[in-house]
Amino acid sequence: MNKFFGPLDPQGCVPPQQQTRVAAFLISAHGALARQFAFALPPKLQFAWQTELNAQVYHEAEIVSLLLRATSWVPDFALGWLAMSWETAWLPQAPEDIPDQPLALAVGLATLAHGIHAGIRPAALLPMEANANDPFVMALRRIEFESGRLLQAQILFLKGPELLPHRDAVTAALERRHVEIRRLWADTLEGVGMTVYKS
């Protein structure tokens, strides 16, 4: 098992099998966020956080589009079963301790987004010798940059004044999502000969 992508080819590119599995996982995760953000948007924006929600729809769609074009795709027969397990994991999980259903759904979506943006750091797995001009390498670095920026929006919402009465429920939901996403990510990497910390 390796801690980084590789072994790289002579041009410093990530092996296509690793590219395919990792890109499929990221497309599933960010595609789910794009769909859920879009469905969560009201017909008319009334609050500042809804404006940010609108922007996040397009950022997530951009990440999916980037990966579709930057990845060197090869057949991966495990993807059918894996995609089903990933898509199930992204289903909405509204905290039961928050009685306001729309607010609970928004918290569930924010904890999912926080877990994906904070818990999945694909660029950190690139070895130093990776080709900086390779489209896949550039895509992973771009995704990590965007994730860091989008993470701020989730933090502002989850720590916002409207959730102060529900702090314990929010914290518990966030911890559950992080554990689940870290395990999925670790399992995905193990499937292509890599290992990361799994809690």
Side-chain angles (χ1 to χ4, degrees):
M1 290 284 194
N2 300 322
K3 290 185 178 179
F4 298 100
F5 289 116
L8 305 179
D9 70 12
Q11 288 74 44
C13 300
V14 174
Q17 182 63 34
Q18 290 179 347
Q19 288 192 38
T20 297
R21 183 72 59 89
V22 166
F25 179 85
L26 294 172
I27 286 169
S28 175
H30 290 282
L33 285 178
R35 291 191 305 273
Q36 291 185 39
F37 281 137
F39 283 121
L41 275 173
K44 181 175 175 58
L45 304 181
Q46 297 176 325
F47 304 103
W49 65 268
Q50 292 172 336
T51 305
E52 180 59 33
L53 195 67
N54 184 72
Q56 292 208 21
V57 172
Y58 296 99
H59 288 301
E60 299 296 348
E62 181 185 8
I63 289 172
V64 170
S65 175
L66 177 62
L67 283 166
L68 284 170
R69 290 166 174 76
T71 302
S72 295
W73 296 98
V74 294
D76 185 339
F77 298 109
L79 281 183
W81 176 83
L82 287 170
M84 285 192 298
S85 67
W86 298 336
E87 291 297 321
T88 301
W90 316 138
L91 291 173
Q93 295 179 15
E96 296 178 2
D97 297 337
I98 300 177
D100 181 336
Q101 191 62 19
L103 184 60
L105 287 170
V107 169
L109 178 51
T111 57
L112 173 62
H114 190 285
I116 289 171
H117 291 139
I120 302 172
R121 300 191 56 228
L125 302 175
L126 291 166
M128 292 291 293
E129 61 273 19
N131 182 351
N133 294 316
D134 177 69
F136 185 73
V137 170
M138 293 179 74
L140 294 189
R141 289 183 173 147
R142 178 67 186 176
I143 290 166
E144 190 140 342
F145 173 79
E146 283 294 319
S147 287
R149 200 175 61 76
L150 293 170
L151 192 58
Q152 299 307 309
Q154 279 94 53
I155 292 171
L156 286 174
F157 173 67
L158 292 169
K159 291 191 172 183
E162 63 270 24
L163 292 177
L164 275 177
H166 311 291
R167 185 63 55 224
D168 290 344
V170 170
T171 301
L174 192 58
E175 288 175 355
R176 280 194 304 272
R177 274 300 195 182
H178 272 264
V179 168
E180 179 183 32
I181 289 167
R182 280 197 304 268
R183 285 179 179 161
L184 282 173
W185 180 230
D187 289 344
T188 298
L189 295 175
E190 285 177 3
V192 287
M194 299 173 64
T195 182
V196 294
Y197 172 74
K198 186 195 303 187
S199 61

